[in-house]
Amino acid sequence: MRPDDANIAGNVHGGTILKMIEEAGAIISTRHCNSQAGEPCVAALARVERTDFLSPMCIGEVANVSAEITYTSRHSVEVQVNVMSENILTGAKKLTNKATLWYVPLSLKNVNKVLEVPPMQYTRKEQEDEGKKRYEEQKLDRLETKQRNGDVIFPIINPDRQTKEPHTVGYSQSSLIHLVGPSDCTLLGFVHGGVTMKLMDEVAGIVAARHCKTNIVTASVDAINFHEKIKKGCVITISGRMTFTSNKSMEIEVFVDADPFVDEPRERYRAVSAFFTYVSLSKEGKPLPVPQLLTETEDEKRRFEEGKGRYLQTKAKRQAQMQQAAQQ
């Protein structure tokens, strides 16, 4: 990890790690989908399950990213990715990230054609049953997310923050506009999922930093859903806004909207959506209290309560896992 991979405190950007995770998942799933004779294809990212940043990675450490296919349905591949960091001076290693990603194979001849996935061999029947359950759960969640995906964040590039009250949604809300070039894209001419996630993390980080005015780091990312492909030549607008704060964490909602204005008569569309969670850190790297989010409108109050529900659900799930681990 080099200085341009990290923030001002020397911690590697969450978006950089997400990009590495996606690259590993794309490689292994594309290999699997082309493992049998048939139409050549490239695996495209459809969804990333909740990802927790278990430990910070620092400049000078070596990242080791490993990927394994854990389930295949007829048209999708589930990939588990682990990220280890290694201090090459001491040899110390630590697990920094665990992620689950879903890919679909797209034909090289016709990018709108989803091909069938070669089935994997399971070591036991329970492994297949558990994978099928995860597949049905993520499929249902993707549909629910798409149904509530009509919300709009108007791009704010250079707002007059002096007219905004500190710690309000409008004060920290941020946007980034990016022209999709060839280096952002796959062989099919569509944006790499990792590139999109890196930009989303940058915007969410700006929102968090503006709210706290301290060093911030990515703590976790809720499920990232890739609703539609983004083509080379599109202008994408990545917008983020604060939705919820607890005593020590912030939830930021991030949308990616695409404008296919080159050779495309299509109107702007929602391409990706997700929730990022950040924590505030002191110069010594210790957690700091987060300023309470001030909600002003009914929509902001509604989103705050929805975020609180997600926060309490995640907290309860984590406590149950800790109790289960203690009993084993």
Side-chain angles (χ1 to χ4, degrees):
M1 293 291 102
R2 302 179 182 276
D4 56 352
D5 296 318
N7 60 20
I8 56 175
N11 298 320
V12 175
H13 283 293
T16 300
I17 297 174
L18 289 171
K19 190 170 183 289
M20 292 191 297
I21 288 172
E22 197 278 328
E23 288 173 353
I27 290 170
I28 192 172
S29 51
T30 298
R31 279 176 178 165
H32 177 81
C33 292
N34 288 284
S35 60
Q36 295 183 2
E39 197 171 337
C41 63
V42 170
L45 183 63
R47 175 179 167 92
V48 181
E49 301 292 355
R50 179 181 173 86
T51 305
D52 291 300
F53 289 75
L54 307 173
S55 180
M57 190 182 299
C58 303
I59 295 172
E61 293 183 334
V62 173
N64 187 317
V65 186
S66 58
E68 177 187 9
I69 292 175
T70 48
Y71 179 75
T72 57
S73 69
R74 185 181 179 187
H75 294 295
S76 64
V77 181
E78 181 191 49
V79 181
Q80 300 278 354
V81 181
N82 289 341
V83 182
M84 300 285 297
S85 67
E86 178 188 357
N87 185 320
I88 56 176
L89 299 179
T90 65
K93 297 180 181 180
K94 58 186 177 183
L95 179 67
T96 64
N97 294 80
K98 297 176 70 175
T100 302
L101 304 90
W102 294 89
Y103 290 83
V104 294
L106 302 180
S107 168
L108 283 176
K109 299 177 181 178
N110 179 2
V111 295
N112 295 315
K113 181 180 179 181
V114 179
L115 302 179
E116 290 195 14
V117 175
M120 68 173 288
Q121 300 297 319
Y122 301 96
T123 56
R124 51 190 176 85
K125 183 65 167 59
E126 292 79 8
Q127 185 182 6
E128 182 177 8
D129 293 339
E130 291 166 0
K132 186 175 182 179
K133 182 180 178 182
R134 293 192 301 271
Y135 167 75
E136 295 296 341
E137 288 175 349
Q138 66 88 24
K139 187 176 180 181
L140 179 62
D141 187 73
R142 275 176 56 78
L143 290 173
E144 291 177 350
T145 302
K146 200 163 188 178
Q147 288 174 356
R148 65 173 186 266
N149 217 18
D151 209 355
V152 175
I153 303 179
F154 293 102
I156 297 181
I157 308 304
N158 292 306
D160 183 4
R161 299 191 190 281
Q162 293 181 350
T163 65
K164 306 287 185 180
E165 187 73 22
H167 307 140
T168 59
V169 175
Y171 183 83
S172 60
Q173 181 175 325
S174 303
S175 297
L176 181 153
I177 295 177
H178 178 76
L179 174 63
V180 176
S183 62
D184 298 321
C185 298
T186 66
L187 297 173
L188 295 175
F190 292 96
V191 178
H192 280 287
V195 170
T196 306
M197 291 192 291
K198 190 173 188 296
L199 293 170
M200 293 173 77
D201 181 72
E202 288 179 9
V203 170
I206 292 170
V207 174
R210 279 179 171 156
H211 182 79
C212 293
K213 298 190 181 300
T214 61
N215 178 40
I216 48 88
V217 294
T218 314
S220 65
V221 183
D222 210 350
I224 304 177
N225 290 291
F226 291 77
H227 308 291
E228 294 196 48
K229 298 185 291 293
I230 303 171
K231 192 175 181 181
K232 179 177 67 178
C234 282
V235 169
I236 56 175
T237 303
I238 306 98
S239 301
R241 65 184 172 199
M242 192 78 66
T243 50
F244 171 75
T245 56
S246 67
N247 291 333
K248 292 185 179 180
S249 67
M250 301 160 276
E251 182 191 72
I252 295 112
E253 184 176 28
V254 183
F255 290 150
V256 179
D257 294 319
D259 283 305
F261 71 98
V262 177
D263 300 326
E264 288 279 352
R266 186 179 177 187
E267 295 181 354
R268 169 187 280 212
Y269 62 92
R270 177 63 41 79
V272 192
S273 60
F275 290 98
F276 285 69
T277 299
Y278 282 76
V279 294
S280 173
L281 298 179
S282 67
K283 292 181 180 179
E284 294 74 31
K286 295 183 179 180
L288 292 173
V290 171
Q292 182 71 17
L293 178 65
L294 303 179
T295 54
E296 299 175 301
T297 68
E298 289 303 316
D299 281 344
E300 290 173 2
K301 292 174 182 177
R302 172 183 56 81
R303 288 194 294 268
F304 186 92
E305 290 303 317
E306 291 173 351
K308 184 178 180 180
R310 287 186 292 271
Y311 168 77
L312 293 175
Q313 186 177 26
T314 300
K315 187 176 180 180
K317 192 174 182 179
R318 187 183 299 117
Q319 290 175 343
Q321 290 173 343
M322 292 174 62
Q323 290 177 354
Q324 187 178 8
Q327 293 172 356
Q328 291 178 349

